[in-house]
Amino acid sequence: MNYDKIKFEAAETRKILGIGPYDRVDIFRVLRDIENISLIITKIRGNISGFFMRYKNTGLIVINASRSLGHQYFTAAHEYYHLKYDKGMSAKVCPINKFDDEYQNERDANLFAAQLLVPDEALGYMIQKRTKGRSLTLNDVIFLENYFQVSHKLMLLRLREIGAITSKQVEAMEKNIIKNAALLGYNTELYRNTEDKGTQIYSEYAELARTLLETGKITYGKYEELLLDGGYGDILFGENEDLEGTENAFKDANSI
């Protein structure tokens, strides 16, 4: 892994997007409103975090709503790397694996996502601002992950990477996170999945769903589910009836 190269790419991406050195990244907004990348958040069965596909100049990222919101943000940044830098790759399904994945391009995407969402400099700055030099506590970790809007697991990983906590501290800080976050007054949505919100769509949805179907990325059953969840039931039912009626009328008009 070219650590310095990936870290530079993440820093340059933040700069190009107009994100300050210590600011959090609203990755969903970046994808939707700045990069014009279509985004679908929906329940996906199996050990999948998400996937992306590229079709000509159109990019699509699909994220598993069954994972925590913090994990979803990381997945979005991970898939963003594939779209932005893996130019020879047209599509890829990304399973839920450990951070140090066995495949180079997955390790690169993980590192990019971590540095995009929680850069070393920003993390160090926020630690100093929060602690004034004292040792980090679990309360501090929960503050930091809520500031950067990342999962507890990723925050522990980043803190360990920069030497702010030890492996022993990581083990001690892994339990009862939702309970502790709630006791500290934080909204716990960051730690929960978003299945209850149904399929969330930020794209030219119907066209992209059809593209997914035609390229074999989803089954017809999943295609129907996506259209219904997205409020496009007329494509499955009403519109097809209209088309059928038009076709029959055309045949009648040209019959002897």
Short mmCIF file of all heavy atoms in Angstrom, two decimals, residues 28 39-42 65 72 194 197-202 205:
data_model
loop_
_atom_site.label_atom_id
_atom_site.label_comp_id
_atom_site.label_asym_id
_atom_site.label_seq_id
_atom_site.Cartn_x
_atom_site.Cartn_y
_atom_site.Cartn_z
N PHE A 28 -22.57 11.80 2.39
CA PHE A 28 -23.76 11.63 1.56
C PHE A 28 -24.02 12.89 0.74
O PHE A 28 -24.37 12.82 -0.44
CB PHE A 28 -24.98 11.30 2.42
CG PHE A 28 -25.00 9.90 2.99
CD1 PHE A 28 -26.00 9.51 3.86
CD2 PHE A 28 -24.02 8.98 2.65
CE1 PHE A 28 -26.03 8.22 4.37
CE2 PHE A 28 -24.04 7.69 3.16
CZ PHE A 28 -25.05 7.31 4.03
N LEU A 39 -27.02 7.70 -5.23
CA LEU A 39 -26.86 6.96 -3.98
C LEU A 39 -28.16 6.28 -3.62
O LEU A 39 -29.22 6.91 -3.60
CB LEU A 39 -26.45 7.94 -2.88
CG LEU A 39 -26.25 7.40 -1.46
CD1 LEU A 39 -25.08 6.44 -1.42
CD2 LEU A 39 -26.01 8.57 -0.50
N ILE A 40 -28.08 4.99 -3.34
CA ILE A 40 -29.23 4.22 -2.87
C ILE A 40 -28.84 3.52 -1.58
O ILE A 40 -27.82 2.83 -1.52
CB ILE A 40 -29.69 3.17 -3.91
CG1 ILE A 40 -30.10 3.85 -5.21
CG2 ILE A 40 -30.85 2.34 -3.36
CD1 ILE A 40 -30.44 2.88 -6.33
N ILE A 41 -29.64 3.71 -0.55
CA ILE A 41 -29.40 3.05 0.73
C ILE A 41 -30.57 2.10 0.95
O ILE A 41 -31.72 2.53 1.11
CB ILE A 41 -29.31 4.07 1.88
CG1 ILE A 41 -28.25 5.13 1.57
CG2 ILE A 41 -28.98 3.37 3.20
CD1 ILE A 41 -28.29 6.34 2.47
N THR A 42 -30.29 0.81 0.94
CA THR A 42 -31.36 -0.18 1.01
C THR A 42 -30.87 -1.43 1.72
O THR A 42 -29.65 -1.67 1.82
CB THR A 42 -31.84 -0.54 -0.42
OG1 THR A 42 -33.01 -1.36 -0.34
CG2 THR A 42 -30.76 -1.28 -1.21
N ALA A 65 -28.37 -0.80 4.20
CA ALA A 65 -29.05 -0.14 5.31
C ALA A 65 -29.06 -0.98 6.57
O ALA A 65 -29.41 -0.49 7.65
CB ALA A 65 -30.49 0.20 4.91
N GLN A 72 -22.20 2.94 7.36
CA GLN A 72 -22.67 3.39 6.05
C GLN A 72 -21.84 4.56 5.53
O GLN A 72 -21.50 4.63 4.34
CB GLN A 72 -24.14 3.78 6.12
CG GLN A 72 -25.09 2.61 6.33
CD GLN A 72 -26.53 3.07 6.44
OE1 GLN A 72 -26.94 4.05 5.80
NE2 GLN A 72 -27.31 2.39 7.26
N THR A 194 -30.38 1.61 9.51
CA THR A 194 -31.45 2.50 9.04
C THR A 194 -32.53 1.73 8.28
O THR A 194 -33.20 2.29 7.41
CB THR A 194 -30.87 3.61 8.15
OG1 THR A 194 -30.21 3.01 7.01
CG2 THR A 194 -29.88 4.47 8.91
N LYS A 197 -36.08 3.14 7.84
CA LYS A 197 -36.34 4.24 6.92
C LYS A 197 -36.67 3.75 5.51
O LYS A 197 -36.97 4.55 4.62
CB LYS A 197 -35.12 5.17 6.86
CG LYS A 197 -34.85 5.90 8.17
CD LYS A 197 -33.70 6.87 8.04
CE LYS A 197 -33.47 7.61 9.35
NZ LYS A 197 -32.34 8.57 9.24
N GLY A 198 -36.63 2.43 5.32
CA GLY A 198 -36.89 1.89 4.00
C GLY A 198 -35.76 2.23 3.04
O GLY A 198 -34.65 2.58 3.45
N THR A 199 -36.04 2.12 1.76
CA THR A 199 -35.04 2.45 0.75
C THR A 199 -34.97 3.96 0.56
O THR A 199 -35.98 4.60 0.30
CB THR A 199 -35.37 1.77 -0.59
OG1 THR A 199 -35.28 0.35 -0.42
CG2 THR A 199 -34.39 2.20 -1.67
N GLN A 200 -33.78 4.51 0.72
CA GLN A 200 -33.56 5.95 0.52
C GLN A 200 -32.86 6.15 -0.82
O GLN A 200 -31.86 5.50 -1.10
CB GLN A 200 -32.70 6.51 1.65
CG GLN A 200 -33.32 6.32 3.03
CD GLN A 200 -32.36 6.73 4.13
OE1 GLN A 200 -32.11 7.91 4.35
NE2 GLN A 200 -31.81 5.75 4.84
N ILE A 201 -33.38 7.05 -1.60
CA ILE A 201 -32.93 7.21 -2.97
C ILE A 201 -32.49 8.65 -3.23
O ILE A 201 -33.23 9.58 -2.96
CB ILE A 201 -34.06 6.87 -3.96
CG1 ILE A 201 -34.65 5.50 -3.62
CG2 ILE A 201 -33.58 6.93 -5.39
CD1 ILE A 201 -36.11 5.41 -3.92
N TYR A 202 -31.30 8.79 -3.76
CA TYR A 202 -30.80 10.11 -4.15
C TYR A 202 -30.22 9.97 -5.55
O TYR A 202 -29.01 9.86 -5.72
CB TYR A 202 -29.74 10.59 -3.17
CG TYR A 202 -30.19 10.54 -1.73
CD1 TYR A 202 -29.86 9.46 -0.92
CD2 TYR A 202 -30.96 11.56 -1.18
CE1 TYR A 202 -30.28 9.40 0.41
CE2 TYR A 202 -31.38 11.51 0.15
CZ TYR A 202 -31.04 10.43 0.93
OH TYR A 202 -31.45 10.36 2.23
N TYR A 205 -33.60 7.62 -10.16
CA TYR A 205 -33.74 6.30 -9.56
C TYR A 205 -34.22 5.21 -10.52
O TYR A 205 -33.62 4.14 -10.62
CB TYR A 205 -34.71 6.42 -8.37
CG TYR A 205 -34.87 5.16 -7.58
CD1 TYR A 205 -33.82 4.67 -6.83
CD2 TYR A 205 -36.07 4.47 -7.58
CE1 TYR A 205 -33.97 3.52 -6.08
CE2 TYR A 205 -36.22 3.33 -6.84
CZ TYR A 205 -35.17 2.86 -6.09
OH TYR A 205 -35.31 1.72 -5.36
#
